[in-house]
């Protein structure tokens, strides 16, 4: 007789909460080469009604008021990109996902809802400066 240590009838965490009450993590990236990243966690976030622009504004509001993000305030943060989906494979790069630039970048000027980008509960999203990303992607050298 085989022992199973999980219940295959349990829902995945990505579908365990409704889209209107999700938890997402935003990885705020100050420096790609130096790997300066700090997480913002949003609880009870409404992915069905919020747009990427709403998420960017919510991030900037928290960055401008939370003391622990003071060193991040001098960076022009203008781009959102999905880092990883819940239960998906993660990238080997600890700072940013270089794959899926075409379909995982979120358009902050569009009225598309976050769920229309495939964002669901437990999704991780990166927030960064696009010019810094392009330069780092061209020469992904890490510094200490």
């Amino acid at each position: 007789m085989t022992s199973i240590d999980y219940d295959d009838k349990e829902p995945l965490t990505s579908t365990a909460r409704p889209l209107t009450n999700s938890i997402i993590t935003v990885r705020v990236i100050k420096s790609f080469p130096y790997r300066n990243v700090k997480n913002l966690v949003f609880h009870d976030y409404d992915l069905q009604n919020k747009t990427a622009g709403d998420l960017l504004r919510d991030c900037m509001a928290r960055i401008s008021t939370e003391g622990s993000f003071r060193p991040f305030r001098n960076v022009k943060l203008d781009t959102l990109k999905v880092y990883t989906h819940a239960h998906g494979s993660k990238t080997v790069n600890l700072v940013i996902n270089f794959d899926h630039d075409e379909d995982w970048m979120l358009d902050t000027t569009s009225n598309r809802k976050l769920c229309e980008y495939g964002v669901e509960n437990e999704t991780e999203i990166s927030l960064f400066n696009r010019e810094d990303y392009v330069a780092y992607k061209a020469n992904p050298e890490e510094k200490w």
Side-chain angles (χ1 to χ4, degrees):
M1 182 168 154
T2 306
S3 167
I4 298 176
D5 63 349
Y6 66 93
D7 182 358
D8 61 354
K9 304 290 188 251
E10 288 290 318
L12 297 174
T13 57
S14 56
T15 59
R17 297 176 72 116
L19 288 173
T20 56
N21 186 22
S22 297
I23 298 172
I24 59 170
T25 302
V26 177
R27 309 172 77 255
V28 184
I29 302 170
K30 178 179 180 183
S31 170
F32 292 100
Y34 290 100
R35 295 183 291 194
N36 297 101
V37 179
K38 188 162 181 62
N39 292 337
L40 277 173
V41 179
F42 288 92
H43 296 271
D44 304 318
Y45 206 74
D46 187 351
L47 303 175
Q48 197 166 11
N49 296 304
K50 296 260 190 174
T51 65
D54 294 333
L55 178 59
L56 179 60
R57 282 186 292 281
D58 292 342
C59 289
M60 297 313 293
R62 288 195 43 196
I63 290 168
S64 68
T65 58
E66 293 183 16
S68 62
F69 281 94
R70 191 174 319 250
F72 290 74
R73 293 179 192 160
N74 64 350
V75 179
K76 180 185 175 217
L77 301 167
D78 58 7
T79 305
L80 292 165
K81 180 182 178 186
V82 172
Y83 179 69
T84 185
H85 291 284
H87 311 293
S89 60
K90 293 198 176 204
T91 178
V92 295
N93 190 309
L94 299 175
V95 179
I96 190 79
N97 184 345
F98 284 137
D99 300 327
H100 302 284
D101 278 355
E102 305 78 30
D103 55 339
W104 283 12
M105 290 275 193
L106 307 183
D107 182 0
T108 57
T109 62
S110 168
N111 286 329
R112 284 180 69 189
K113 306 303 181 201
L114 289 169
C115 63
E116 294 175 39
Y117 289 102
V119 177
E120 52 190 5
N121 189 47
E122 303 277 331
T123 297
E124 290 184 36
I125 298 172
S126 297
L127 171 59
F128 52 91
N129 177 279
R130 186 181 295 259
E131 290 177 12
D132 291 349
Y133 172 70
V134 170
Y136 181 69
K137 189 171 181 180
N139 183 22
E141 181 181 333
E142 293 179 356
K143 301 176 181 177
W144 298 93

